[in-house]
Amino acid sequence: MTTRWTVTARGRLRTVIELRGDDDELLSTLKLGSRRDDHRVAEATDPDGREWRAEVGIDAVAVGLDGRTYATLDDGTLTVAGKSLRCTVSRTGARTAKVVGPAGRTLLTAAPGPKGRSWVVFEFDRGELPQPRAVVLVIAFLLLHLDAEQLKGSSWAGNNGSFGG
């Protein structure tokens, strides 16, 4: 069965970025930090207070929780739960991504959502994709970082360092 999670961005001055589940349940509130050298620190806070942290660069992303790394993406290889998967992410602002398993089966797709409703929609089979939350956060943070880099110099971030829609 296909699971659909969305990333939404709302607001202009203080943009709120949320990861929401199938039933519109809030899964995490995302924040992309200011750029430092060639990377950003990002956070995702779950409703229960758990905080996922990420180091986000152009070619590499690592997402962890409680000091443990759950997923990394480095030069097209997504490592999660001891498995190496192929991951392609559009770097042109198209906001698309795909994760492919060892047998060539697509495990996750990401694409822009309907205008005004979702920034990105992730579709995956929960039984096939290891550590879905970590995988989705790795890709979401990379897409946010890429958008921010494309919009650098415009008023996208204001003073709070978060992504604006």
Side-chain angles (χ1 to χ4, degrees):
M1 182 171 158
T2 300
T3 298
R4 176 179 267 190
W5 289 356
T6 60
V7 174
T8 61
R10 51 188 173 80
R12 292 236 180 253
L13 295 176
R14 285 250 184 243
T15 302
V16 176
I17 307 165
E18 297 175 332
L19 173 61
R20 294 196 164 268
D22 271 334
D23 57 1
D24 204 34
E25 169 193 11
L26 177 65
L27 300 176
S28 298
T29 301
L30 283 60
K31 181 180 179 188
L32 185 65
S34 299
R35 188 172 194 259
R36 293 184 194 132
D37 299 319
D38 62 348
H39 74 281
R40 297 171 190 269
V41 174
E43 297 174 349
T45 305
D46 295 349
D48 64 7
R50 293 186 313 163
E51 288 191 359
W52 296 81
R53 294 193 47 85
E55 290 282 331
V56 186
I58 293 297
D59 292 319
V61 182
V63 169
L65 177 68
D66 298 328
R68 178 177 168 212
T69 299
Y70 278 80
T72 61
L73 176 59
D74 190 4
D75 198 29
T77 299
L78 175 68
T79 305
V80 60
K83 297 180 181 178
S84 292
L85 308 171
R86 207 172 60 232
C87 181
T88 55
V89 177
S90 170
R91 298 183 183 284
T92 65
R95 295 187 199 137
T96 59
K98 181 161 68 167
V99 175
V100 177
R105 179 183 161 121
T106 299
L107 302 178
L108 174 141
T109 59
K115 187 165 178 77
R117 301 218 39 216
S118 308
W119 183 72
V120 172
V121 176
F122 293 89
E123 291 186 345
F124 58 93
D125 182 332
R126 207 181 275 266
E128 298 283 327
L129 184 67
Q131 297 288 332
R133 176 81 56 103
V135 171
V136 167
L137 289 174
V138 161
I139 296 169
F141 283 137
L142 180 57
L143 292 171
L144 286 166
H145 178 68
L146 292 169
D147 262 19
E149 287 299 298
Q150 287 184 351
L151 296 171
K152 191 167 48 176
S154 70
S155 60
W156 69 271
N159 292 322
N160 67 354
S162 64
F163 176 83

